[in-house]
């Protein structure tokens, strides 16, 4: 268990989440723009169909057929734009970002399991976790006691 690994995995997770959100946002904005354009064309198509109905009442053939055909073509274009806007985002970018995201989640889970094992080992065997710290600490204490013993012996011999 290493805190540096946890921080690194969290940074990778954060970055991949940002990339995934960016990809989805770009796709959403592009789809929204195409849908808005398709809606505009559909409104124009509806206007042309209404215009053709008007011309049907005023004149019988030439202007009616032209406006009806133009309205139908506008609806067809709007339908094609809606289909294009509804496509899922590009596969490579989102797949790669999802793979990195999943890998960082797995690495964080492994680090959490290692931390859990370390904590449970410390609870069950407290001396095994304290021993690596105690041995150097005992050596330092013994060294300091020897120094003070020599210093007190030297100071007591000096006046005599």
């Amino acid at each position: 268990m290493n805190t540096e690994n946890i921080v690194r995995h969290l940074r990778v997770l954060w970055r991949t989440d940002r990339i995934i959100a960016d990809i989805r946002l770009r796709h959403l904005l592009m789809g929204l723009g195409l849908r808005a354009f398709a809606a505009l064309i559909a409104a124009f198509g509806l206007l042309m169909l209404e215009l053709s109905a008007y011309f049907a009442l005023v004149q019988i053939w030439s202007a009616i057929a032209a406006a009806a055909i133009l309205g139908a073509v506008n609806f067809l274009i709007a339908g094609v734009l809606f289909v294009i806007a509804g496509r899922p985002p590009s596969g490579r970018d989102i797949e790669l970002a999802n793979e990195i995201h999943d890998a960082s989640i797995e690495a964080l889970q492994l680090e959490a399991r290692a931390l859990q094992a370390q904590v449970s080992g410390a609870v069950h065997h407290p001396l095994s976790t304290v021993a690596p710290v105690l041995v150097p600490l005992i050596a330092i204490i013994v060294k300091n006691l020897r120094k003070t013993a020599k210093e007190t012996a030297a100071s007591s011999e000096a006046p005599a």
Side-chain angles (χ1 to χ4, degrees), residues 12-13 15-21 23-24 89-106:
V12 168
L13 183 65
R15 287 178 184 156
T16 56
D17 281 342
R18 282 187 9 216
I19 290 170
I20 290 170
I23 291 169
R24 288 185 180 159
S90 62
R92 282 186 174 174
D93 294 340
I94 197 76
E95 284 178 18
L96 178 64
N98 281 331
E99 286 178 16
I100 294 171
H101 181 268
D102 293 341
S104 63
I105 289 288
E106 288 176 19

Side-chain angles (χ1 to χ4, degrees), residues 113-148:
R113 286 186 195 117
L115 176 64
Q116 181 183 11
Q118 188 177 12
V119 168
S120 66
V123 169
H124 293 301
H125 306 288
L127 289 180
S128 66
T129 56
V130 177
V133 176
L134 281 179
V135 171
L137 187 62
I138 291 172
I140 292 172
I141 291 171
V142 168
K143 217 183 253 187
N144 283 337
L145 288 175
R146 285 184 184 168
K147 280 185 185 177
T148 55

Side-chain angles (χ1 to χ4, degrees), residues 4-37:
E4 292 175 8
N5 286 339
I6 292 174
V7 170
R8 183 170 37 94
H9 292 310
L10 285 174
R11 283 183 184 162
V12 168
L13 183 65
W14 172 255
R15 287 178 184 156
T16 56
D17 281 342
R18 282 187 9 216
I19 290 170
I20 290 170
D22 185 47
I23 291 169
R24 288 185 180 159
L25 183 64
R26 275 189 274 134
H27 180 273
L28 182 69
L29 288 177
M30 186 179 82
L32 183 64
L34 286 175
R35 284 187 178 106
F37 187 60

